[in-house]
C-alpha cells in the first residue's frame, strides 16, 4: 500500500530535501571555485616561474655576450678596467646557471640542456679569457673559431628559451580557460542560488500558510471542544496534583455557586461552601492521580450553596493533558442523583408492598383453588342425586307416566347434565389461570389438524344417532412452530374450531378456513373463518366474558366459557384475541401469539 503523508510531513520532507540541495549547491560551487582558484594560483605561479626563467635566460645571454665582447675587445689591444671588470663578472654566470637549474628542476629535458650549457659555458669562458690575453694572431683566430663553432651555446640557450616560451603560451591559455570556467561556475552558482532562494521563500510561504491553516483548525477544534464542554449539563472539572481546578464547565460553577473567572487555580475544598471538605473524597481523588486508581460511581452526600443536601455520583480517572508535557490531571464528573435515589427508595418500598400483595394474592389463589374444588365436589354430589333419582323415578313410573311427567323428568336430567358441564368448564377456566406455563416448541399445524380430526369424529358419532353426517370443508393453511404451552394452545384450537363447527350447523356445507402470517415485530397472527351464523358486532365486547352468550341455548348449545378460556390463554402468552362478523354471513376470530420473551414478561405481570 502506498504511503500517505499529511501536509506537515510533506513540508518536513521538502524542507529536508531543500536543505540538502542548498548544502550541495553551496558546497559544490565553493569547492569548485576553490579548486579553480588554486589552479589559477598555480597557473599564475607557473607564469611567474616562466617569466623568471626567461629573465634568467636573458641575463645569462647578456652576461655571456658581455664577457665574450669584453674578451674580443681586450684581444684588440684595448686596455680598460671596465672591460676587465666585465670579463671578470662572467664568473657570476655559474651562479645564474645554478639558479636557472633550480628553477627548471621540474623539467628533466631543460636540466639536460642546462647541463650542456654548463659544460660548454666553462670551456667557452676559458677560451674567452685566453682570447683576451692573446694578441691578434692566427692562434687567436683559431681560438675564436673554436669558441664559436665547437661550443655553440647560443643554440642551446635559444632552445631553452623556446621551450619555456611554449610552456608560457600553454599556461597562459590554460589560465584564461580557468578564468572563463570560474566565471561560468560563479554565474551558474549565482543563478541556482537565486532559484534556491526563491524556492525557499515559496516553501516558507506555503509552510506559513499550512501552519496558519492548522492553527486555525486547531483554534476552531478547541473552540468546538470548549463549546461542547460548556454545553454539557453534567458538571465536569479537571484537577491537578494539588487538587486545584485547572478547567471546568459552566454546570460545575453553577452547581457550586462559583464565579467562572475566579474558580480556576482554586483548591477544590475552597468552593461550594464546604461541599468538598470531606477528607475521604479528597484522598480518593489524590489516589486517582498518584496511584492510577479509578473512582467509579462513588456516592457522596453534599450540602449545596442553597442549603439542600444532595446525593452526588462521582466518577474520576487520570488523563494526560495534550498541551502540557509529562503532566496528568484528574478528570472528575459529578452527577446529581438525589431524585434517582429518592425514586429508588420509593421503588424498593413499592417492591416490598408488591411482594406483600403478591403473597396475599397467592393466598387468595390458594383459597380460590380450594374453594373451586370444594364447590366442584359439593355441587357434583347433589347433581348426581338429582340425575340419579330422576332416572329412578322414570323407571319407577314406567308406562304409568304421562307425557307431561316424562317431559319434566327429561328437563331435570338435561339441567343436571348442563350443570355438570358448567362445573367442568369452570374448573378448566380456573386451571388455565392458575397453572404454571410449560413453554416448549409447539407445532400449530399439528394441533390444528388433530383438533379437526377430533371434531370430525364427534360429528360422525352424532350422525350415528340420526343417520345424517354433516359435511365440513377444512382449509388449513401453513401454520408455524411457536414456543408456547402446548396444552393451553390445544384448548384455544379446540374452542375456536369447535365454535366454528357449532355455528355452521345451519349450513348445508360448512367451510372453515385457518391461516397465519408473521407480523413485523416477529409475532404471529392466526385467523379462523367460518360461513356460519355470525353475530352483531355491537355485542362483540361480550363474546369473551364468562357466561356471555349471543345466541339462545335452544339454538346453539354451550356454557359461555370457551371464548373466555381462549382469552385467558392468550393473555397469559402475552397475546390478544378479537372477532369480526356479520349476522348470517359468518365470523372470523383472530388471535396473536407474540415472541416467547414478551410472553414470559406479560405472564409474570399477570
Amino acid at each position: 500500500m502506498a504511503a500517505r503523508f499529511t501536509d506537515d510531513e510533506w513540508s518536513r520532507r521538502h524542507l529536508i530535501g531543500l536543505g540538502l540541495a542548498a548544502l550541495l549547491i553551496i558546497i559544490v560551487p565553493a569547492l569548485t571555485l576553490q579548486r579553480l582558484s588554486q589552479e589559477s594560483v598555480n597557473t599564475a605561479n607557473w607564469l611567474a616561474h616562466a617569466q623568471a626563467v626567461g629573465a634568467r635566460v636573458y641575463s645569462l645571454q647578456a652576461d655571456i655576450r658581455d664577457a665574450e665582447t669584453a674578451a674580443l675587445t681586450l684581444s684588440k689591444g684595448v686596455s680598460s678596467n671596465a672591460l676587465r671588470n666585465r670579463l671578470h663578472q662572467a664568473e657570476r654566470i655559474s651562479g645564474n646557471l645554478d639558479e636557472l637549474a633550480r628553477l627548471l628542476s621540474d623539467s628533466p629535458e631543460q636540466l639536460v640542456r642546462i647541463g650542456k650549457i654548463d659544460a660548454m659555458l666553462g670551456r667557452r669562458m676559458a677560451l674567452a679569457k685566453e682570447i683576451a690575453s692573446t694578441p691578434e694572431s692566427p692562434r687567436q683566430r683559431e681560438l675564436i673559431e673554436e669558441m664559436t663553432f665547437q661550443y655553440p651555446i647560443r643554440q642551446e640557450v635559444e632552445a631553452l628559451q623556446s621551450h619555456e616560451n611554449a610552456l608560457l603560451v600553454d599556461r597562459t591559455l590554460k589560465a584564461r580557460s580557468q578564468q572563463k570556467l570560474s566565471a561560468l561556475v560563479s554565474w551558474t552558482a549565482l543563478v541556482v542560488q537565486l532559484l534556491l532562494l526563491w524556492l525557499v521563500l515559496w516553501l516558507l510561504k506555503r509552510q506559513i500558510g499550512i501552519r496558519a491553516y492548522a492553527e486555525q483548525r486547531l483554534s476552531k477544534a478547541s473552540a468546538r471542544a470548549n463549546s461542547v464542554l460548556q454545553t454539557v449539563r453534567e458538571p465536569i472539572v479537571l484537577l491537578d496534583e494539588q487538587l486545584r481546578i485547572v478547567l471546568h464547565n459552566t454546570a460545575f460553577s453553577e452547581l457550586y455557586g462559583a464565579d467562572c473567572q475566579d474558580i480556576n487555580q482554586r483548591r477544590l475544598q475552597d468552593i461550594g461552601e464546604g461541599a468538598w471538605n470531606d477528607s475521604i473524597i479528597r484522598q480518593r481523588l489524590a489516589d486517582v492521580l498518584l496511584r492510577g486508581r479509578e473512582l467509579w460511581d462513588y456516592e457522596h452526600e453534599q450540602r449545596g450553596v442553597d442549603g439542600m443536601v444532595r446525593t452526588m455520583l462521582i466518577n474520576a480517572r487520570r488523563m494526560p493533558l495534550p498541551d502540557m508535557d509529562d503532566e496528568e490531571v484528574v478528570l472528575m464528573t459529578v452527577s446529581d442523583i438525589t431524585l434517582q435515589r429518592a425514586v429508588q427508595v420509593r421503588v424498593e418500598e413499592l417492591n416490598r408492598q408488591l411482594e406483600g400483595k403478591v403473597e396475599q394474592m397467592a393466598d387468595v389463589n390458594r383459597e380460590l383453588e380450594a374453594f373451586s374444588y370444594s364447590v366442584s365436589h359439593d355441587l357434583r354430589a347433589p347433581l348426581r342425586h338429582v340425575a340419579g333419582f330422576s332416572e329412578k323415578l322414570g323407571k319407577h313410573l314406567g308406562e304409568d307416566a304421562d307425557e307431561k311427567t316424562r317431559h319434566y323428568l327429561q328437563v331435570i336430567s338435561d339441567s343436571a347434565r348442563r350443570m355438570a358441564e358448567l362445573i367442568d368448564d369452570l374448573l378448566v377456566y380456573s386451571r388455565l389461570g392458575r397453572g404454571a406455563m410449560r413453554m416448549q416448541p409447539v407445532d400449530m399445524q399439528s394441533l390444528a389438524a388433530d383438533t379437526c380430526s377430533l371434531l370430525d369424529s364427534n360429528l360422525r358419532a352424532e350422525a350415528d344417532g340420526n343417520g345424517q353426517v354433516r359435511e365440513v370443508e377444512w382449509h388449513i393453511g401453513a401454520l408455524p412452530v411457536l414456543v408456547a404451552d402446548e396444552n393451553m394452545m390445544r384448548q384455544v384450537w379446540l374452542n375456536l374450531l369447535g365454535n366454528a363447527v357449532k355455528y355452521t350447523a345451519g349450513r348445508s356445507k360448512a367451510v372453515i378456513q385457518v391461516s397465519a402470517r408473521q407480523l413485523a415485530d416477529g409475532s404471529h397472527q392466526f385467523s379462523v373463518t367460518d360461513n356460519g351464523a355470525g353475530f352483531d358486532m355491537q355485542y362483540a365486547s361480550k363474546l369473551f366474558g364468562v357466561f356471555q352468550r349471543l345466541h339462545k341455548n335452544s339454538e346453539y348449545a354451550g356454557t359461555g366459557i370457551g371464548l373466555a378460556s381462549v382469552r385467558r390463554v392468550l393473555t397469559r402468552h402475552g397475546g390478544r384475541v378479537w372477532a369480526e362478523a356479520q349476522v348470517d354471513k359468518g365470523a372470523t376470530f383472530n388471535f396473536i401469539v407474540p415472541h416467547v420473551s414478551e410472553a414470559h414478561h406479560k405472564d409474570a405481570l399477570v
Side-chain angles (χ1 to χ4, degrees):
M1 181 182 292
R4 298 183 178 180
F5 305 102
T6 62
D7 291 340
D8 290 341
E9 291 174 341
W10 275 116
S11 300
R12 190 180 303 111
R13 290 173 177 268
H14 287 164
L15 289 176
I16 293 174
L18 190 61
L20 293 176
L23 189 63
L24 292 176
I25 291 173
I26 292 173
I27 291 178
V28 171
L31 293 177
T32 304
L33 291 174
Q34 183 180 2
R35 184 177 62 82
L36 293 175
S37 176
Q38 185 64 36
E39 291 181 357
S40 298
V41 171
N42 293 336
T43 303
N45 291 335
W46 281 113
L47 289 174
H49 175 269
Q51 292 174 357
V53 170
R56 287 293 179 182
V57 171
Y58 180 80
S59 177
L60 178 63
Q61 289 178 333
D63 290 342
I64 294 172
R65 187 171 54 252
D66 289 343
E68 291 178 351
T69 301
L72 291 174
T73 303
L74 289 174
S75 68
K76 297 297 182 181
V78 180
S79 178
S80 172
N81 291 331
L83 293 174
R84 291 187 178 89
N85 289 334
R86 289 172 63 186
L87 182 61
H88 290 300
Q89 287 178 355
E91 297 176 355
R92 67 181 184 181
I93 293 175
S94 298
N96 288 335
L97 195 61
D98 293 339
E99 181 64 22
L100 188 61
R102 185 185 65 78
L103 292 174
L104 297 175
S105 60
D106 60 333
S107 177
E109 183 180 356
Q110 295 290 69
L111 289 177
V112 170
R113 290 191 179 97
I114 290 174
K116 291 180 180 181
I117 293 172
D118 188 22
M120 289 187 290
L121 186 61
R123 181 57 182 166
R124 194 171 178 116
M125 288 299 101
L127 290 174
K129 290 179 181 180
E130 186 176 353
I131 291 171
S133 61
T134 302
E136 186 175 358
S137 62
R139 175 61 181 168
Q140 185 183 37
R141 285 193 296 272
E142 292 177 358
L143 292 174
I144 291 173
E145 290 177 358
E146 182 182 359
M147 182 181 68
T148 302
F149 297 106
Q150 293 185 5
Y151 301 100
I153 194 172
R154 183 181 299 275
Q155 296 177 359
E156 296 296 333
V157 172
E158 289 177 355
L160 180 66
Q161 184 65 40
S162 298
H163 187 273
E164 288 299 321
N165 289 337
L167 289 177
L168 181 60
V169 172
D170 292 339
R171 289 167 180 171
T172 301
L173 294 175
K174 186 176 181 180
R176 291 176 181 174
S177 176
Q178 288 177 348
Q179 289 178 354
K180 292 180 181 179
L181 182 59
S182 298
L184 179 62
V185 171
S186 298
W187 283 107
T188 303
L190 178 61
V191 172
V192 172
Q193 287 172 353
L194 289 175
L195 291 176
L196 181 63
L197 178 61
W198 176 83
L199 183 60
V200 168
L201 293 176
W202 180 79
L203 285 178
L204 287 177
K205 180 180 178 181
R206 184 172 180 271
Q207 184 68 18
I208 291 173
I210 293 174
R211 179 74 62 178
Y213 178 70
E215 291 178 353
Q216 184 180 9
R217 289 181 59 189
L218 182 62
S219 177
K220 289 182 179 179
S222 177
R224 184 164 53 250
N226 185 65
S227 177
V228 172
L229 177 66
Q230 300 303 327
T231 304
V232 173
R233 297 309 304 163
E234 186 177 62
I236 301 175
V237 64
L238 298 182
L239 305 172
D240 63 7
E241 58 187 7
Q242 302 297 328
L243 296 185
R244 291 191 300 266
I245 297 175
V246 177
L247 183 66
H248 69 285
N249 64 349
T250 305
F252 185 83
S253 58
E254 290 177 352
L255 180 61
Y256 294 101
D259 189 357
C260 293
Q261 301 297 329
D262 298 336
I263 191 174
N264 286 338
Q265 299 304 319
R266 290 178 60 184
R267 295 186 304 172
L268 184 64
Q269 58 265 32
D270 294 337
I271 65 172
E273 297 183 3
W276 298 97
N277 283 336
D278 189 352
S279 60
I280 296 178
I281 185 62
R282 293 203 305 272
Q283 182 61 44
R284 287 180 175 269
L285 292 175
D287 290 342
V288 170
L289 185 60
L290 299 178
R291 301 184 181 181
R293 297 179 178 176
E294 294 185 356
L295 192 62
W296 293 109
D297 296 339
Y298 181 78
E299 294 186 8
H300 184 233
E301 287 191 355
Q302 297 178 348
R303 183 177 296 276
V305 294
D306 53 0
M308 293 181 59
V309 177
R310 295 183 174 89
T311 301
M312 312 304 292
L313 189 67
I314 299 173
N315 289 278
R317 63 178 301 176
R318 184 171 63 181
M319 64 170 287
L321 286 179
D323 57 338
M324 303 179 70
D325 296 334
D326 299 330
E327 183 169 346
E328 293 184 337
V329 296
V330 175
L331 171 65
M332 182 176 69
T333 60
V334 183
S335 303
D336 187 355
I337 60 169
T338 305
L339 180 59
Q340 291 89 323
R341 288 295 297 165
V343 170
Q344 182 179 359
V345 171
R346 179 59 179 165
V347 168
E348 291 175 354
E349 181 181 353
L350 292 176
N351 283 335
R352 288 192 296 270
Q353 295 178 3
L354 181 60
E355 290 175 358
K357 296 293 184 182
V358 169
E359 185 62 29
Q360 293 178 6
M361 290 297 295
D363 294 339
V364 171
N365 285 333
R366 285 191 292 270
E367 292 177 0
L368 286 176
E369 185 175 0
F371 174 75
S372 298
Y373 281 103
S374 175
V375 169
S376 172
H377 287 83
D378 291 344
L379 290 179
R380 285 181 187 276
L383 285 176
R384 286 195 298 270
H385 293 162
V386 171
F389 281 108
S390 65
E391 183 179 358
K392 288 182 178 181
L393 181 58
K395 291 179 179 180
H396 178 71
L397 293 176
E399 297 296 333
D400 296 335
D402 58 8
E403 187 67 25
K404 182 176 289 188
T405 302
R406 285 194 294 271
H407 172 71
Y408 291 158
L409 292 175
Q410 185 64 38
V411 170
I412 293 172
S413 178
D414 292 342
S415 297
R417 186 176 62 257
R418 177 174 173 75
M419 187 64 182
E421 292 176 355
L422 283 173
I423 293 173
D424 291 337
D425 289 344
L426 282 175
L427 291 176
V428 171
Y429 182 78
S430 176
R431 284 195 298 271
L432 290 175
R434 295 193 313 270
M437 296 176 61
R438 292 180 296 179
M439 306 300 288
Q440 59 183 346
V442 177
D443 188 353
M444 302 294 273
Q445 188 85 40
S446 298
L447 282 185
D450 293 344
T451 304
C452 292
S453 298
L454 177 62
L455 293 174
D456 285 338
S457 299
N458 293 338
L459 290 176
R460 286 193 295 271
E462 291 177 2
D464 291 340
N466 54 25
Q468 184 179 1
V469 180
R470 285 185 55 195
E471 182 180 359
V472 179
E473 182 177 334
W474 300 97
H475 297 281
I476 309 298
L479 304 182
V481 176
L482 300 180
V483 176
D485 187 293
E486 184 175 1
N487 291 329
M488 290 186 179
M489 283 299 159
R490 194 181 302 276
Q491 288 293 328
V492 170
W493 287 113
L494 187 60
N495 282 287
L496 292 180
L497 295 178
N499 278 354
V501 171
K502 179 171 64 175
Y503 288 104
T504 56
R507 299 290 186 261
S508 60
K509 181 180 181 181
V511 179
I512 301 174
Q513 298 178 355
V514 179
S515 61
R517 65 187 182 95
Q518 187 172 11
L519 303 180
D521 60 355
S523 59
H524 289 81
Q525 177 179 333
F526 298 85
S527 299
V528 177
T529 303
D530 62 64
N531 62 338
F535 57 86
D536 192 344
M537 284 296 293
Q538 65 176 330
Y539 304 112
S541 59
K542 297 182 178 181
L543 280 175
F544 302 98
V546 180
F547 303 129
Q548 297 292 327
R549 292 174 51 81
L550 301 184
H551 299 85
K552 297 179 180 179
N553 190 57
S554 59
E555 296 177 344
Y556 299 101
T559 60
I561 298 178
L563 292 179
S565 300
V566 170
R567 182 178 183 180
R568 171 162 286 195
V569 168
L570 293 173
T571 301
R572 294 200 63 184
H573 281 80
R576 63 190 181 94
V577 60
W578 72 97
E580 300 172 352
Q582 292 183 9
V583 176
D584 204 32
K585 292 185 178 180
T588 299
F589 285 82
N590 302 290
F591 65 93
I592 292 177
V593 180
H595 192 269
V596 62
S597 60
E598 183 179 357
H600 279 163
H601 175 67
K602 292 188 176 181
D603 183 60
L605 294 179
V606 175

